[in-house]
Amino acid sequence: MAHIPSGGAPAAGAAPMGPQYCVCKVELSVSGQNLLDRDVTSKSDPFCVLFTENNGRWIEYDRTETAINNLNPAFSKKFVLDYHFEEVQKLKFALFDQDKSSMRLDEHDFLGQFSCSLGTIVSSKKITRPLLLLNDKPAGKGLITIAAQELSDNRVITLSLAGRRLDKKDLFGKSDPFLEFYKPGDDGKWMLVHRTEVMCYDYDNDGGHDFIGEFQTSVSQMCEARDSVPLEFECINPKKQRKKKNYKNSGIIILRSCKINRDYSFLDYILGGCQLMFTVGIDFTASNGNPLDPSSLHYINPMGTNEYLSAIWAVGQIIQDYDSDKMFPALGFGAQLPPDWKVSHEFAINFNPTNPFCSGVDGIAQAYSACLPHIRFYGPTNFSPIVNHVARFAAQATQQRTATQYFILLIITDGVISDMEETRHAVVQASKLPMSIIIVGVGNADFAAMEFLDGDSRMLRSHTGEEAARDIVQFVPFREFRNAAKETLAKAVLAELPQQVVQYFKHKNLPPTNSEPA
Protein backbone atom coordinates (compact mmCIF):
# COMPACT_ATOMS: atom_id res chain seq x y z
CA MET A 1 0.00 0.00 0.00
CA ALA A 2 1.23 3.51 -0.80
CA HIS A 3 0.16 6.30 1.53
CA ILE A 4 0.57 9.94 0.42
CA PRO A 5 0.74 12.62 3.14
CA SER A 6 1.58 16.28 2.55
CA GLY A 7 4.42 18.18 4.19
CA GLY A 8 7.42 15.98 3.31
CA ALA A 9 9.39 15.01 0.27
CA PRO A 10 8.00 15.41 -3.25
CA ALA A 11 6.56 12.28 -4.78
CA ALA A 12 8.40 12.66 -8.08
CA GLY A 13 11.83 11.09 -8.53
CA ALA A 14 13.55 7.80 -7.82
CA ALA A 15 12.72 6.05 -4.55
CA PRO A 16 15.06 3.13 -3.80
CA MET A 17 13.75 0.67 -1.26
CA GLY A 18 15.69 -2.10 0.42
CA PRO A 19 16.38 -3.51 3.86
CA GLN A 20 19.66 -2.86 5.64
CA TYR A 21 20.84 -5.87 7.62
CA CYS A 22 23.30 -5.47 10.48
CA VAL A 23 23.69 -9.21 11.05
CA CYS A 24 23.32 -11.96 8.47
CA LYS A 25 21.19 -14.95 9.35
CA VAL A 26 22.26 -18.31 7.98
CA GLU A 27 20.06 -21.38 7.59
CA LEU A 28 21.77 -24.77 7.88
CA SER A 29 20.19 -27.92 6.42
CA VAL A 30 21.43 -31.26 7.76
CA SER A 31 21.21 -34.75 6.33
CA GLY A 32 22.86 -38.08 7.17
CA GLN A 33 24.01 -40.93 4.99
CA ASN A 34 24.55 -44.59 5.81
CA LEU A 35 24.19 -44.09 9.57
CA LEU A 36 24.88 -46.74 12.18
CA ASP A 37 21.91 -49.00 12.91
CA ARG A 38 21.45 -49.17 16.69
CA ASP A 39 18.03 -50.83 16.72
CA VAL A 40 17.65 -54.62 16.73
CA THR A 41 14.23 -55.09 15.15
CA SER A 42 14.19 -51.94 12.99
CA LYS A 43 16.41 -49.18 11.65
CA SER A 44 17.70 -46.29 13.76
CA ASP A 45 15.45 -43.31 14.44
CA PRO A 46 18.01 -40.49 14.13
CA PHE A 47 17.81 -36.86 15.15
CA CYS A 48 20.50 -34.17 15.07
CA VAL A 49 21.51 -31.82 17.88
CA LEU A 50 23.45 -28.61 17.23
CA PHE A 51 25.81 -27.31 19.90
CA THR A 52 27.56 -23.92 19.91
CA GLU A 53 30.72 -23.18 21.87
CA ASN A 54 30.50 -20.62 24.64
CA ASN A 55 33.61 -19.93 26.77
CA GLY A 56 35.04 -23.34 25.99
CA ARG A 57 31.81 -25.23 26.76
CA TRP A 58 29.39 -26.83 24.32
CA ILE A 59 25.84 -25.53 24.79
CA GLU A 60 22.85 -27.13 23.07
CA TYR A 61 21.42 -24.67 20.54
CA ASP A 62 18.64 -26.62 18.84
CA ARG A 63 17.68 -30.06 17.57
CA THR A 64 15.87 -31.48 14.56
CA GLU A 65 12.87 -33.73 14.41
CA THR A 66 13.32 -37.51 14.59
CA ALA A 67 13.42 -39.45 11.32
CA ILE A 68 11.71 -42.80 12.01
CA ASN A 69 13.42 -45.97 10.68
CA ASN A 70 15.78 -44.01 8.44
CA LEU A 71 19.54 -44.47 8.01
CA ASN A 72 19.67 -41.71 5.37
CA PRO A 73 17.66 -38.88 6.93
CA ALA A 74 17.17 -35.44 5.38
CA PHE A 75 15.91 -33.38 8.31
CA SER A 76 13.21 -30.83 7.52
CA LYS A 77 13.96 -28.76 10.63
CA LYS A 78 16.61 -26.13 9.81
CA PHE A 79 19.12 -24.50 12.14
CA VAL A 80 19.10 -20.69 11.92
CA LEU A 81 22.11 -18.80 13.30
CA ASP A 82 23.49 -15.26 13.29
CA TYR A 83 26.63 -15.14 11.14
CA HIS A 84 29.58 -12.96 12.19
CA PHE A 85 32.51 -13.00 9.78
CA GLU A 86 34.99 -11.60 12.31
CA GLU A 87 34.38 -14.39 14.84
CA VAL A 88 35.27 -18.07 14.93
CA GLN A 89 31.84 -19.59 15.53
CA LYS A 90 32.49 -23.20 16.53
CA LEU A 91 29.66 -25.68 15.94
CA LYS A 92 29.15 -29.33 16.80
CA PHE A 93 26.57 -31.56 15.13
CA ALA A 94 25.74 -34.75 17.05
CA LEU A 95 23.45 -37.51 15.79
CA PHE A 96 21.48 -39.77 18.12
CA ASP A 97 19.15 -42.72 17.73
CA GLN A 98 15.97 -41.91 19.65
CA ASP A 99 15.08 -44.72 22.05
CA LYS A 100 12.69 -42.94 24.40
CA SER A 101 10.59 -39.80 24.54
CA SER A 102 13.08 -38.26 26.98
CA MET A 103 14.81 -34.95 26.19
CA ARG A 104 17.97 -36.18 27.96
CA LEU A 105 20.62 -37.06 25.39
CA ASP A 106 22.25 -39.71 27.59
CA GLU A 107 19.10 -41.80 27.24
CA HIS A 108 19.56 -42.09 23.47
CA ASP A 109 22.17 -44.03 21.47
CA PHE A 110 25.01 -41.92 20.13
CA LEU A 111 25.57 -42.30 16.36
CA GLY A 112 28.47 -39.88 15.81
CA GLN A 113 29.38 -36.21 15.65
CA PHE A 114 31.22 -33.60 13.61
CA SER A 115 32.70 -30.24 14.64
CA CYS A 116 33.71 -27.26 12.52
CA SER A 117 33.33 -23.49 12.31
CA LEU A 118 30.38 -21.75 10.69
CA GLY A 119 32.91 -20.06 8.40
CA THR A 120 34.01 -23.46 7.08
CA ILE A 121 30.42 -24.30 6.11
CA VAL A 122 29.51 -21.01 4.42
CA SER A 123 32.81 -20.82 2.51
CA SER A 124 32.06 -24.24 0.98
CA LYS A 125 28.27 -23.75 0.88
CA LYS A 126 27.90 -27.51 1.36
CA ILE A 127 30.16 -30.01 3.12
CA THR A 128 30.02 -33.77 3.66
CA ARG A 129 32.17 -35.28 6.40
CA PRO A 130 32.50 -38.65 8.20
CA LEU A 131 30.99 -38.88 11.66
CA LEU A 132 33.37 -39.25 14.61
CA LEU A 133 33.09 -40.81 18.04
CA LEU A 134 33.43 -38.83 21.28
CA ASN A 135 37.21 -39.45 21.23
CA ASP A 136 37.39 -38.04 17.66
CA LYS A 137 38.05 -41.48 16.20
CA PRO A 138 35.99 -42.52 13.14
CA ALA A 139 32.55 -43.84 14.01
CA GLY A 140 33.16 -46.56 11.45
CA LYS A 141 30.03 -45.70 9.55
CA GLY A 142 27.97 -42.69 8.65
CA LEU A 143 28.36 -39.33 6.93
CA ILE A 144 26.86 -35.93 7.67
CA THR A 145 26.07 -33.29 5.05
CA ILE A 146 25.52 -29.66 6.02
CA ALA A 147 24.36 -27.01 3.53
CA ALA A 148 24.17 -23.25 4.16
CA GLN A 149 22.14 -20.44 2.71
CA GLU A 150 21.61 -16.83 3.71
CA LEU A 151 18.19 -15.93 5.10
CA SER A 152 17.60 -12.55 3.52
CA ASP A 153 16.01 -11.14 0.43
CA ASN A 154 18.70 -9.05 -1.26
CA ARG A 155 16.40 -7.65 -3.94
CA VAL A 156 16.12 -3.86 -4.09
CA ILE A 157 13.22 -2.08 -5.80
CA THR A 158 13.84 1.31 -7.47
CA LEU A 159 10.74 3.27 -8.45
CA SER A 160 10.44 6.41 -10.57
CA LEU A 161 7.27 8.25 -9.54
CA ALA A 162 5.41 11.48 -10.18
CA GLY A 163 2.15 13.05 -9.01
CA ARG A 164 -0.64 14.87 -10.89
CA ARG A 165 -3.50 17.04 -9.56
CA LEU A 166 -2.90 16.13 -5.92
CA ASP A 167 -5.17 17.84 -3.36
CA LYS A 168 -3.89 21.13 -1.98
CA LYS A 169 -3.15 20.99 1.74
CA ASP A 170 -1.17 24.22 2.30
CA LEU A 171 -3.03 27.50 2.87
CA PHE A 172 -0.80 29.75 0.73
CA GLY A 173 0.65 27.32 -1.77
CA LYS A 174 0.67 23.88 -3.25
CA SER A 175 1.10 20.71 -1.21
CA ASP A 176 4.52 19.24 -0.55
CA PRO A 177 3.64 15.57 -0.98
CA PHE A 178 5.74 12.56 -0.08
CA LEU A 179 5.10 8.82 -0.25
CA GLU A 180 5.01 6.20 2.44
CA PHE A 181 5.12 2.50 1.47
CA TYR A 182 3.53 -0.18 3.63
CA LYS A 183 3.41 -3.97 3.45
CA PRO A 184 1.13 -6.39 5.31
CA GLY A 185 2.71 -7.98 8.39
CA ASP A 186 2.20 -11.49 9.72
CA ASP A 187 -0.60 -10.14 11.90
CA GLY A 188 -2.39 -8.66 8.88
CA LYS A 189 -1.60 -5.07 9.87
CA TRP A 190 0.16 -2.65 7.53
CA MET A 191 3.83 -1.94 8.40
CA LEU A 192 5.75 1.12 7.19
CA VAL A 193 8.76 -0.02 5.15
CA HIS A 194 9.91 3.14 3.37
CA ARG A 195 9.33 6.91 3.28
CA THR A 196 10.60 9.05 0.40
CA GLU A 197 13.15 11.75 1.20
CA VAL A 198 12.18 15.13 2.67
CA MET A 199 13.04 17.70 -0.03
CA CYS A 200 10.46 20.49 0.15
CA TYR A 201 10.19 24.17 0.93
CA ASP A 202 7.84 24.13 3.90
CA TYR A 203 8.18 20.71 5.51
CA ASP A 204 5.97 20.43 8.59
CA ASN A 205 8.60 19.99 11.29
CA ASP A 206 5.98 19.32 13.92
CA GLY A 207 5.12 16.09 12.17
CA GLY A 208 1.56 17.22 11.52
CA HIS A 209 1.42 16.07 7.94
CA ASP A 210 -1.90 16.13 6.12
CA PHE A 211 -3.18 12.92 4.56
CA ILE A 212 -3.88 13.24 0.82
CA GLY A 213 -4.77 9.73 -0.25
CA GLU A 214 -3.75 6.13 -0.70
CA PHE A 215 -3.78 3.24 -3.15
CA GLN A 216 -2.88 -0.44 -3.13
CA THR A 217 -0.76 -2.36 -5.62
CA SER A 218 1.69 -5.24 -5.79
CA VAL A 219 5.30 -5.60 -6.87
CA SER A 220 4.28 -7.78 -9.81
CA GLN A 221 1.84 -5.10 -10.99
CA MET A 222 4.40 -2.31 -10.57
CA CYS A 223 6.94 -4.27 -12.64
CA GLU A 224 4.63 -3.81 -15.63
CA ALA A 225 5.52 -0.10 -15.70
CA ARG A 226 7.81 1.07 -18.50
CA ASP A 227 9.03 4.51 -19.57
CA SER A 228 6.87 4.24 -22.68
CA VAL A 229 3.86 2.79 -20.82
CA PRO A 230 3.66 4.22 -17.27
CA LEU A 231 1.07 3.03 -14.76
CA GLU A 232 -1.37 5.41 -13.08
CA PHE A 233 -2.96 4.96 -9.65
CA GLU A 234 -5.85 6.96 -8.23
CA CYS A 235 -5.19 8.35 -4.73
CA ILE A 236 -8.28 7.81 -2.63
CA ASN A 237 -9.02 9.63 0.61
CA PRO A 238 -11.62 7.39 2.35
CA LYS A 239 -12.98 10.24 4.50
CA LYS A 240 -13.61 12.47 1.49
CA GLN A 241 -15.02 9.53 -0.43
CA ARG A 242 -17.60 8.93 2.27
CA LYS A 243 -18.57 12.62 2.59
CA LYS A 244 -18.73 13.67 -1.08
CA LYS A 245 -21.08 11.98 -3.49
CA ASN A 246 -19.25 13.26 -6.56
CA TYR A 247 -15.79 12.49 -5.16
CA LYS A 248 -13.49 10.98 -7.79
CA ASN A 249 -9.99 10.98 -6.31
CA SER A 250 -7.41 13.17 -4.59
CA GLY A 251 -4.94 13.03 -7.44
CA ILE A 252 -3.00 10.59 -9.58
CA ILE A 253 0.33 8.88 -8.85
CA ILE A 254 2.25 8.00 -12.01
CA LEU A 255 4.69 5.10 -11.88
CA ARG A 256 7.14 5.60 -14.74
CA SER A 257 9.39 2.62 -14.06
CA CYS A 258 10.00 -0.18 -11.57
CA LYS A 259 13.35 -1.95 -11.53
CA ILE A 260 14.41 -4.83 -9.31
CA ASN A 261 18.11 -5.40 -8.70
CA ARG A 262 20.04 -7.46 -6.19
CA ASP A 263 22.01 -5.76 -3.44
CA TYR A 264 24.55 -8.51 -2.83
CA SER A 265 26.00 -9.01 0.65
CA PHE A 266 29.42 -10.27 1.73
CA LEU A 267 27.86 -13.64 2.50
CA ASP A 268 26.36 -13.78 -1.01
CA TYR A 269 29.89 -13.55 -2.43
CA ILE A 270 31.27 -16.15 0.00
CA LEU A 271 28.42 -18.58 -0.70
CA GLY A 272 29.02 -17.85 -4.38
CA GLY A 273 32.50 -19.31 -4.09
CA CYS A 274 34.68 -16.24 -3.48
CA GLN A 275 37.98 -17.27 -1.84
CA LEU A 276 39.90 -14.98 0.53
CA MET A 277 43.60 -15.20 -0.39
CA PHE A 278 45.65 -14.51 2.73
CA THR A 279 49.30 -13.33 2.83
CA VAL A 280 51.36 -12.35 5.89
CA GLY A 281 54.18 -9.77 5.86
CA ILE A 282 56.45 -9.74 8.96
CA ASP A 283 58.79 -6.93 10.05
CA PHE A 284 62.32 -8.22 10.84
CA THR A 285 64.04 -4.84 11.26
CA ALA A 286 66.65 -4.26 13.98
CA SER A 287 64.36 -2.03 16.03
CA ASN A 288 62.49 -5.19 17.10
CA GLY A 289 65.49 -6.24 19.22
CA ASN A 290 67.44 -9.48 19.43
CA PRO A 291 64.89 -12.35 19.43
CA LEU A 292 66.90 -14.10 22.17
CA ASP A 293 66.41 -11.11 24.49
CA PRO A 294 63.13 -11.22 26.50
CA SER A 295 62.66 -7.50 25.75
CA SER A 296 62.54 -8.19 21.98
CA LEU A 297 59.20 -8.09 20.21
CA HIS A 298 60.26 -11.30 18.44
CA TYR A 299 61.14 -13.10 21.67
CA ILE A 300 58.94 -16.17 21.99
CA ASN A 301 57.95 -16.46 25.65
CA PRO A 302 57.59 -19.73 27.62
CA MET A 303 53.91 -19.80 26.60
CA GLY A 304 55.10 -20.12 22.99
CA THR A 305 53.86 -16.76 21.77
CA ASN A 306 54.62 -13.07 21.26
CA GLU A 307 52.76 -10.11 19.76
CA TYR A 308 53.65 -11.15 16.19
CA LEU A 309 52.29 -14.66 16.70
CA SER A 310 49.22 -13.32 18.49
CA ALA A 311 48.41 -11.08 15.52
CA ILE A 312 48.97 -13.94 13.04
CA TRP A 313 46.65 -16.19 15.03
CA ALA A 314 43.96 -13.54 15.57
CA VAL A 315 43.57 -12.77 11.87
CA GLY A 316 44.62 -16.10 10.38
CA GLN A 317 42.22 -18.29 12.36
CA ILE A 318 39.32 -16.34 10.84
CA ILE A 319 40.62 -16.01 7.27
CA GLN A 320 41.76 -19.62 6.89
CA ASP A 321 38.16 -20.84 6.80
CA TYR A 322 37.64 -18.96 3.54
CA ASP A 323 40.53 -20.45 1.53
CA SER A 324 39.90 -23.99 0.32
CA ASP A 325 43.55 -25.16 0.13
CA LYS A 326 44.65 -23.23 3.25
CA MET A 327 48.10 -22.59 1.76
CA PHE A 328 49.27 -19.09 2.68
CA PRO A 329 52.36 -17.15 1.52
CA ALA A 330 54.36 -15.81 4.49
CA LEU A 331 56.88 -13.08 3.67
CA GLY A 332 59.43 -11.12 5.66
CA PHE A 333 61.10 -7.74 5.18
CA GLY A 334 63.96 -5.72 6.66
CA ALA A 335 66.40 -8.61 7.33
CA GLN A 336 69.78 -9.76 6.04
CA LEU A 337 69.61 -13.28 4.59
CA PRO A 338 72.23 -16.01 4.30
CA PRO A 339 74.52 -16.81 2.64
CA ASP A 340 75.58 -13.35 1.36
CA TRP A 341 73.66 -11.40 4.07
CA LYS A 342 72.05 -8.97 1.67
CA VAL A 343 69.03 -7.02 2.91
CA SER A 344 65.68 -8.21 1.58
CA HIS A 345 62.27 -6.54 1.82
CA GLU A 346 60.36 -9.39 0.23
CA PHE A 347 61.55 -12.89 1.19
CA ALA A 348 59.82 -16.17 1.93
CA ILE A 349 60.19 -16.98 5.62
CA ASN A 350 60.42 -20.68 4.70
CA PHE A 351 63.42 -19.72 2.49
CA ASN A 352 61.72 -21.23 -0.57
CA PRO A 353 61.15 -18.30 -2.97
CA THR A 354 59.43 -20.48 -5.58
CA ASN A 355 57.01 -21.91 -2.99
CA PRO A 356 56.53 -19.47 -0.10
CA PHE A 357 53.30 -21.17 0.99
CA CYS A 358 52.69 -22.41 4.52
CA SER A 359 50.03 -24.96 5.42
CA GLY A 360 47.43 -23.17 7.50
CA VAL A 361 48.05 -20.72 10.32
CA ASP A 362 50.00 -23.45 12.15
CA GLY A 363 52.36 -23.61 9.18
CA ILE A 364 52.91 -19.84 9.24
CA ALA A 365 53.69 -19.93 12.97
CA GLN A 366 56.14 -22.83 12.52
CA ALA A 367 57.93 -21.16 9.59
CA TYR A 368 58.17 -17.90 11.55
CA SER A 369 59.70 -19.57 14.61
CA ALA A 370 62.09 -21.63 12.46
CA CYS A 371 63.44 -18.66 10.50
CA LEU A 372 64.33 -16.45 13.50
CA PRO A 373 67.77 -18.03 14.24
CA HIS A 374 68.81 -17.90 10.56
CA ILE A 375 68.36 -14.20 9.72
CA ARG A 376 69.91 -10.92 10.90
CA PHE A 377 67.53 -8.14 11.81
CA TYR A 378 68.42 -5.01 9.88
CA GLY A 379 66.37 -2.37 8.04
CA PRO A 380 64.92 -0.06 6.82
CA THR A 381 61.15 -0.60 7.24
CA ASN A 382 59.93 -0.75 3.64
CA PHE A 383 56.30 -1.75 3.01
CA SER A 384 55.96 -1.13 -0.72
CA PRO A 385 57.74 -4.31 -1.97
CA ILE A 386 55.30 -6.61 -0.12
CA VAL A 387 52.26 -4.48 -1.03
CA ASN A 388 53.30 -4.62 -4.69
CA HIS A 389 53.98 -8.37 -4.39
CA VAL A 390 50.39 -9.15 -3.37
CA ALA A 391 49.01 -6.53 -5.80
CA ARG A 392 50.58 -8.39 -8.72
CA PHE A 393 48.56 -11.50 -7.87
CA ALA A 394 45.41 -9.44 -7.30
CA ALA A 395 45.90 -7.83 -10.73
CA GLN A 396 46.13 -11.28 -12.32
CA ALA A 397 42.84 -12.26 -10.67
CA THR A 398 41.03 -9.32 -12.31
CA GLN A 399 41.59 -10.88 -15.73
CA GLN A 400 39.00 -13.55 -14.85
CA ARG A 401 36.22 -10.93 -14.57
CA THR A 402 34.55 -13.01 -11.83
CA ALA A 403 34.04 -12.49 -8.11
CA THR A 404 36.10 -15.54 -7.16
CA GLN A 405 39.22 -14.16 -5.42
CA TYR A 406 39.90 -11.33 -2.96
CA PHE A 407 43.38 -10.79 -1.51
CA ILE A 408 44.17 -9.85 2.09
CA LEU A 409 47.64 -8.73 3.18
CA LEU A 410 48.39 -8.71 6.91
CA ILE A 411 51.47 -6.61 7.74
CA ILE A 412 52.80 -6.80 11.29
CA THR A 413 55.34 -4.10 12.14
CA ASP A 414 56.99 -2.37 15.08
CA GLY A 415 57.78 1.05 13.69
CA VAL A 416 57.67 3.94 11.31
CA ILE A 417 57.54 3.29 7.54
CA SER A 418 60.78 4.27 5.78
CA ASP A 419 59.40 4.32 2.23
CA MET A 420 56.21 6.28 2.87
CA GLU A 421 55.96 7.84 -0.61
CA GLU A 422 56.42 4.49 -2.34
CA THR A 423 53.98 2.84 0.08
CA ARG A 424 51.34 5.51 -0.46
CA HIS A 425 51.65 5.03 -4.20
CA ALA A 426 51.47 1.24 -3.85
CA VAL A 427 48.33 1.45 -1.67
CA VAL A 428 46.61 3.87 -4.07
CA GLN A 429 47.27 1.49 -6.97
CA ALA A 430 46.16 -1.52 -4.89
CA SER A 431 42.87 0.25 -4.10
CA LYS A 432 41.83 -0.44 -7.71
CA LEU A 433 42.30 -4.19 -7.18
CA PRO A 434 40.47 -6.94 -5.21
CA MET A 435 42.74 -6.39 -2.21
CA SER A 436 42.71 -5.14 1.39
CA ILE A 437 45.61 -4.42 3.75
CA ILE A 438 45.52 -4.99 7.50
CA ILE A 439 48.36 -3.44 9.52
CA VAL A 440 48.92 -4.47 13.13
CA GLY A 441 51.42 -2.29 15.00
CA VAL A 442 53.30 -4.13 17.77
CA GLY A 443 55.34 -2.51 20.53
CA ASN A 444 55.03 1.05 21.79
CA ALA A 445 56.27 3.08 18.80
CA ASP A 446 54.58 6.14 17.31
CA PHE A 447 52.19 4.80 14.69
CA ALA A 448 50.94 8.13 13.33
CA ALA A 449 52.07 7.16 9.81
CA MET A 450 49.94 4.02 9.96
CA GLU A 451 46.89 6.07 10.90
CA PHE A 452 47.63 8.22 7.85
CA LEU A 453 47.42 5.15 5.56
CA ASP A 454 44.10 4.12 7.13
CA GLY A 455 41.72 6.35 5.20
CA ASP A 456 38.87 6.38 7.71
CA SER A 457 38.94 10.16 8.13
CA ARG A 458 40.04 11.16 4.62
CA MET A 459 40.88 9.37 1.39
CA LEU A 460 44.56 8.54 0.93
CA ARG A 461 46.48 10.24 -1.89
CA SER A 462 49.77 9.24 -3.48
CA HIS A 463 52.71 11.67 -3.69
CA THR A 464 51.52 12.53 -7.24
CA GLY A 465 48.11 13.59 -5.92
CA GLU A 466 46.20 10.56 -7.19
CA GLU A 467 43.39 9.61 -4.81
CA ALA A 468 42.74 6.05 -3.69
CA ALA A 469 39.73 4.45 -5.36
CA ARG A 470 38.53 3.29 -1.92
CA ASP A 471 39.78 2.81 1.62
CA ILE A 472 41.54 -0.58 1.78
CA VAL A 473 43.79 -0.15 4.85
CA GLN A 474 42.80 -1.01 8.40
CA PHE A 475 45.38 -0.19 11.10
CA VAL A 476 45.18 -1.42 14.69
CA PRO A 477 47.83 -0.96 17.43
CA PHE A 478 48.26 -4.25 19.28
CA ARG A 479 48.94 -2.48 22.59
CA GLU A 480 45.26 -1.54 22.83
CA PHE A 481 44.37 -5.25 22.97
CA ARG A 482 47.09 -6.69 25.23
CA ASN A 483 44.72 -7.14 28.13
CA ALA A 484 41.60 -7.88 26.09
CA ALA A 485 40.14 -11.23 25.09
CA LYS A 486 41.95 -12.67 22.09
CA GLU A 487 38.78 -12.47 19.98
CA THR A 488 38.67 -8.69 20.41
CA LEU A 489 41.69 -8.06 18.18
CA ALA A 490 40.21 -10.13 15.35
CA LYS A 491 36.94 -8.19 15.53
CA ALA A 492 38.80 -4.88 15.35
CA VAL A 493 41.07 -5.69 12.42
CA LEU A 494 38.45 -7.51 10.36
CA ALA A 495 35.50 -5.18 11.01
CA GLU A 496 35.83 -3.32 7.69
CA LEU A 497 36.78 -6.27 5.49
CA PRO A 498 33.29 -7.53 4.46
CA GLN A 499 32.31 -4.02 3.38
CA GLN A 500 35.56 -3.63 1.39
CA VAL A 501 34.96 -6.93 -0.44
CA VAL A 502 31.39 -5.99 -1.38
CA GLN A 503 32.40 -2.44 -2.32
CA TYR A 504 35.03 -3.66 -4.78
CA PHE A 505 32.87 -6.25 -6.55
CA LYS A 506 29.90 -3.86 -6.75
CA HIS A 507 32.11 -1.13 -8.23
CA LYS A 508 33.28 -3.60 -10.87
CA ASN A 509 29.68 -4.76 -11.41
CA LEU A 510 30.62 -8.34 -10.61
CA PRO A 511 27.82 -10.46 -9.09
CA PRO A 512 28.55 -13.61 -7.08
CA THR A 513 29.14 -16.63 -9.26
CA ASN A 514 25.99 -18.75 -9.68
CA SER A 515 23.87 -15.84 -8.45
CA GLU A 516 20.15 -15.90 -9.22
CA PRO A 517 18.64 -13.19 -11.44
CA ALA A 518 16.59 -10.49 -9.71
Side-chain angles (χ1 to χ4, degrees):
M1 181 177 75
H3 177 95
I4 302 97
S6 173
M17 296 192 301
Q20 298 296 319
Y21 293 96
C22 297
V23 177
C24 292
K25 286 195 177 293
V26 176
E27 180 184 83
L28 302 181
S29 302
V30 179
S31 60
Q33 299 85 42
N34 197 27
L35 300 181
L36 285 170
D37 192 353
R38 296 290 193 187
D39 291 347
V40 177
T41 58
S42 64
K43 296 177 181 178
S44 291
D45 305 320
F47 65 95
C48 181
V49 182
L50 172 63
F51 297 86
T52 58
E53 190 187 58
N54 186 6
N55 296 323
R57 296 179 58 220
W58 290 111
I59 307 296
E60 181 176 337
Y61 181 82
D62 202 356
R63 57 178 74 180
T64 67
E65 79 282 6
T66 298
I68 305 299
N69 292 330
N70 195 338
L71 301 182
N72 298 281
F75 299 107
S76 61
K77 170 71 179 290
K78 315 296 184 186
F79 297 125
V80 177
L81 301 102
D82 289 337
Y83 165 77
H84 303 275
F85 164 72
E86 68 280 4
E87 297 179 17
V88 176
Q89 296 174 265
K90 293 182 179 178
L91 308 176
K92 181 170 70 175
F93 300 84
L95 288 164
F96 295 86
D97 172 23
Q98 180 172 319
D99 283 338
K100 304 175 181 178
S101 59
S102 172
M103 292 295 291
R104 291 184 52 177
L105 294 177
D106 58 4
E107 295 193 10
H108 305 286
D109 293 327
F110 178 67
L111 299 177
Q113 64 184 20
F114 169 69
S115 302
C116 68
S117 68
L118 181 56
T120 298
I121 300 171
V122 299
S123 65
S124 301
K125 197 170 184 178
K126 184 177 183 179
I127 61 172
T128 299
R129 297 289 188 272
L131 291 170
L132 304 176
L133 299 175
L134 294 175
N135 57 6
D136 286 339
K137 291 184 178 180
K141 197 175 184 183
L143 300 172
I144 185 170
T145 297
I146 309 157
Q149 70 175 57
E150 184 176 3
L151 276 186
S152 67
D153 190 339
N154 58 18
R155 292 173 298 176
V156 175
I157 303 173
T158 304
L159 306 174
S160 179
L161 298 151
R164 186 175 70 234
R165 294 198 305 271
L166 298 177
D167 284 355
K168 290 183 180 181
K169 292 293 180 180
D170 290 355
L171 186 61
F172 299 107
K174 296 180 179 179
S175 297
D176 301 310
F178 63 97
L179 279 164
E180 291 179 341
F181 294 86
Y182 293 78
K183 71 174 182 180
D186 294 336
D187 58 0
K189 296 181 179 179
W190 291 100
M191 300 186 302
L192 178 66
V193 293
H194 183 76
R195 179 183 290 118
T196 54
E197 291 181 1
V198 176
M199 295 174 57
C200 61
Y201 295 104
D202 58 349
Y203 175 69
D204 295 341
N205 287 315
D206 62 358
H209 312 308
D210 299 314
F211 176 66
I212 294 177
E214 65 187 23
F215 64 91
Q216 291 188 26
T217 184
S218 65
V219 173
S220 58
Q221 182 183 7
M222 290 192 296
C223 285
E224 297 172 5
R226 298 289 184 272
D227 290 335
S228 57
V229 188
L231 297 181
E232 295 189 357
F233 300 95
E234 286 188 311
C235 290
I236 304 299
N237 187 322
K239 286 186 178 179
K240 282 190 173 184
Q241 193 177 39
R242 287 192 297 268
K243 289 180 180 179
K244 298 182 179 180
K245 291 183 178 180
N246 61 345
Y247 175 82
K248 188 175 182 181
N249 60 54
S250 293
I252 303 294
I253 291 297
I254 304 162
L255 176 60
R256 291 175 175 154
S257 67
C258 173
K259 297 178 181 178
I260 301 179
N261 298 304
R262 289 197 178 272
D263 185 18
Y264 295 111
S265 68
F266 173 73
L267 195 52
D268 284 327
Y269 284 102
I270 295 299
L271 289 170
C274 182
Q275 297 275 292
L276 302 184
M277 317 301 286
F278 182 48
T279 300
V280 177
I282 301 173
D283 181 346
F284 291 110
T285 55
S287 55
N288 282 277
N290 186 331
L292 298 177
D293 187 333
S295 65
S296 168
L297 291 167
H298 281 291
Y299 173 75
I300 299 177
N301 62 35
M303 301 294 291
T305 189
N306 59 29
E307 292 190 359
Y308 279 89
L309 284 169
S310 295
I312 290 170
W313 273 107
V315 179
Q317 67 176 345
I318 305 290
I319 301 294
Q320 68 176 352
D321 284 343
Y322 301 88
D323 187 328
S324 57
D325 67 6
K326 295 180 173 38
M327 298 297 292
F328 307 119
L331 309 174
F333 60 92
Q336 293 175 321
L337 305 183
D340 54 8
W341 302 108
K342 287 184 178 179
V343 177
S344 175
H345 297 290
E346 182 189 346
F347 66 91
I349 65 172
N350 65 0
F351 300 111
N352 187 346
T354 60
N355 185 17
F357 296 91
C358 302
S359 179
V361 183
D362 280 336
I364 297 174
Q366 290 167 10
Y368 163 76
S369 301
C371 85
L372 289 175
H374 302 290
I375 61 176
R376 294 176 183 170
F377 291 12
Y378 203 70
T381 306
N382 291 351
F383 278 18
S384 61
I386 282 184
V387 173
N388 289 328
H389 175 100
V390 176
R392 285 193 293 272
F393 290 95
Q396 291 175 11
T398 62
Q399 297 174 9
Q400 301 176 35
R401 294 295 302 162
T402 56
T404 53
Q405 289 184 321
Y406 193 91
F407 292 76
I408 298 155
L409 170 60
L410 169 64
I411 299 177
I412 313 170
T413 183
D414 81 317
V416 178
I417 302 173
S418 304
D419 63 338
M420 177 54 86
E421 284 198 358
E422 292 83 355
T423 297
R424 283 166 57 192
H425 181 74
V427 171
V428 168
Q429 300 310 309
S431 70
K432 307 169 188 176
L433 301 170
M435 176 176 169
S436 291
I437 302 170
I438 297 167
I439 304 174
V440 176
V442 296
N444 297 309
D446 179 5
F447 292 119
M450 310 299 175
E451 300 282 5
F452 177 77
L453 290 176
D454 189 339
D456 284 346
S457 56
R458 61 179 181 179
M459 198 59 76
L460 179 70
R461 291 180 181 272
S462 71
H463 62 281
T464 63
E466 183 181 2
E467 187 173 270
R470 56 198 180 92
D471 175 21
I472 65 168
V473 176
Q474 174 74 355
F475 168 72
V476 172
F478 187 89
R479 60 183 173 231
E480 293 184 3
F481 300 89
R482 282 177 186 149
N483 300 317
K486 60 182 181 179
E487 298 84 5
T488 313
L489 176 63
K491 289 181 180 181
V493 298
L494 295 172
E496 296 180 7
L497 186 62
Q499 178 185 349
Q500 291 171 354
V501 172
V502 172
Q503 185 184 40
Y504 173 79
F505 288 129
K506 279 187 179 178
H507 178 69
K508 295 297 182 180
N509 198 27
L510 294 175
T513 55
N514 303 321
S515 59
E516 297 178 3

